[in-house]
Amino acid sequence: MSLVGLRRELEARGWECPVLNLNENRRVPSPEYIDVQGGWDYFCKVRKHVWDGYAVHVRVNGESKKGYLLALAALGLARLGGRPGLLTYCGGHRQTYFPAPKGSFRYLAFAFLFRTATRIYCNSDPVKQALLTTGLDPSRVVPIPHFSAQYVQFTPAALPASVSSFCSGVDGTFFLYVCYRKEYVLELLADCMRRFRARFPRIGFLLVGTSDRELEPLWQFFRDQGLGHAVCITGSVTHDVFLSMMTRSLACIRSPLTDGVSSSVMEALALGIPVLASDNGTRPEGVELWRQEDPESLLNLMIEAVQNHPAMVARVPRLVPEDNTHKLADDVEMVCRPDFRSKTTGLSAQSKARE
């Protein structure tokens, strides 16, 4: 969503914004993006655009080695070509590979990457403070949340047939954005689901967000946990369907500790939907917090969401979203304008992390 919104905003201002697709369908040609057939193809296409005068905007997080190398290659090429290299650091202030002990290989690797960028964007002040542990000039790091006012502008959509069928067989649902990765603590979630279903067998769980290659392993995990009948897993869906599923749920459950300002959490709060999220020290006001070391704390919130739902909804604060996409576009223009030559140009590269 943040990439789509930024691209739309910049193009409305007269910029050219081709996007290199690094998602699962990256090898499929489309007029909407530039296909990427492999690592060398990615390198050559970034190099071509840099040599043609484009700036580079790439994303990275502290969870992926491959994402690090892709970001380093793009920013390095921008440096060699004398073009601006913009880096968005996704996720929170505590991730697997960063922050890292000072002087360690991971610390030095990220310090080098950050110094290669002309500008770094992150989504909160705590994340900025983590980045500054590498000795960066604070003026080079700009915290702008990905969540923006456009995120809650949607048209209610018809649910997929599998979702409609599942919802017709239960009295209510919880909504979860999950992937088949360790940071989503699936074992903890499964344990709480089983214990919860022992008391409320008519409540189900809607799971969205996982990639196509993770879909079957995720299904198999929940079948192995004896929860195949309790969950409906859709994988990736359109934004309108995503919010349509969210708004019909009792509450959203958010499990990763590695979050920054999670867009799905902010969307739920803006729409008046309770959020039950792991306490990572940076959750926004209004989130119902639970601790990963204490599964009972999540279970108790799930029970309250069913038994005392109106009171939980009443605790959700009124949230007025800001136009952060506009703010980000303003800063991108400010960073890139001094390097303009005969035309305004910009290049984005995206790798999927939701997000």
Side-chain angles (χ1 to χ4, degrees), residues 1-11 17 19 32 59 150-151 325 348 350:
M1 281 296 296
S2 59
L3 175 64
V4 171
L6 179 60
R7 183 186 192 185
R8 184 178 296 129
E9 179 69 24
L10 288 173
E11 287 180 339
C17 296
V19 175
E32 295 298 317
R59 296 181 172 210
Q150 296 87 347
Y151 282 38
T325 299
S348 290
Q350 183 206 19

Side-chain angles (χ1 to χ4, degrees), residues 56-348:
V56 169
H57 184 186
V58 65
R59 296 181 172 210
V60 74
N61 60 31
E63 296 291 333
S64 170
K65 298 176 184 178
K66 182 184 293 185
Y68 174 92
L69 294 174
L70 292 172
L72 183 61
L75 295 175
L77 286 168
R79 280 285 190 177
L80 289 173
R83 305 302 302 158
L86 288 71
L87 176 69
T88 290
Y89 184 83
C90 304
H93 67 299
R94 291 190 297 175
Q95 299 191 54
T96 300
Y97 300 117
F98 186 81
K102 190 170 184 178
S104 67
F105 177 78
R106 290 183 288 123
Y107 175 92
L108 295 173
F110 276 95
F112 181 73
L113 176 69
F114 297 153
R115 280 163 175 75
T116 307
T118 308
R119 185 71 129 194
I120 302 174
Y121 301 106
C122 60
N123 63 19
S124 70
D125 283 317
V127 178
K128 176 176 179 175
Q129 294 307 312
L131 301 181
L132 294 183
T133 61
T134 60
L136 286 171
D137 180 346
S139 66
R140 294 178 61 190
V141 184
V142 181
I144 302 177
H146 295 160
F147 176 68
S148 193
Q150 296 87 347
Y151 282 38
V152 290
Q153 298 169 1
F154 76 106
T155 301
L159 301 182
S162 60
V163 177
S164 294
S165 176
F166 179 80
C167 290
S168 66
V170 295
D171 295 335
T173 58
F174 285 96
F175 182 87
L176 298 86
Y177 181 97
V178 298
C179 297
Y180 191 65
R181 302 172 199 163
K182 66 179 183 348
E183 59 263 33
Y184 288 88
V185 290
L186 296 178
E187 291 82 5
L188 182 151
L189 290 176
D191 178 60
C192 288
M193 287 178 182
R194 274 194 306 271
R195 294 166 64 189
F196 176 84
R197 288 272 297 187
R199 293 185 57 178
F200 303 96
R202 295 282 301 171
I203 303 295
F205 299 87
L206 297 176
L207 279 58
V208 304
T210 195
S211 63
D212 289 343
R213 69 172 177 268
E214 294 176 348
L215 196 56
E216 181 52 36
L218 192 61
W219 264 117
Q220 189 60 51
F221 170 82
F222 281 103
R223 285 194 288 261
D224 292 344
Q225 295 290 325
L227 292 165
H229 60 291
V231 300
C232 177
I233 307 174
T234 66
S236 297
V237 295
T238 67
H239 190 244
D240 284 350
V241 171
F242 183 92
L243 293 186
S244 296
M245 294 170 65
M246 177 187 284
T247 53
R248 65 165 297 137
S249 298
L250 293 165
C252 299
I253 299 176
R254 184 70 183 173
S255 58
L257 287 174
T258 55
D259 281 345
V261 179
S262 167
S263 294
S264 63
V265 167
M266 299 303 293
E267 285 170 334
L269 293 177
L271 294 169
I273 302 163
V275 177
L276 321 181
S278 58
D279 186 0
N280 64 4
T282 61
R283 296 295 185 190
E285 180 186 356
V287 169
E288 306 282 348
L289 299 174
W290 52 274
R291 300 176 304 282
Q292 283 196 2
E293 66 274 15
D294 180 18
E296 197 78 24
S297 61
L298 172 56
L299 181 61
N300 289 338
L301 287 175
M302 293 166 65
I303 292 171
E304 183 182 356
V306 175
Q307 294 184 332
N308 202 12
H309 189 251
M312 185 173 277
V313 170
R315 294 200 296 267
V316 178
R318 184 175 181 273
L319 179 64
V320 180
E322 298 184 57
D323 191 347
N324 289 314
T325 299
H326 187 90
K327 291 181 182 179
L328 179 57
D330 284 347
D331 197 81
V332 168
E333 285 194 309
M334 182 183 71
V335 173
C336 295
R337 279 198 183 282
D339 292 326
F340 275 5
R341 294 172 183 173
S342 59
K343 62 179 182 178
T344 55
T345 56
L347 173 67
S348 290

Side-chain angles (χ1 to χ4, degrees), residues 8-23:
R8 184 178 296 129
E9 179 69 24
L10 288 173
E11 287 180 339
R13 301 182 186 196
W15 290 62
E16 296 176 19
C17 296
V19 175
L20 291 178
N21 181 12
L22 302 183
N23 289 331

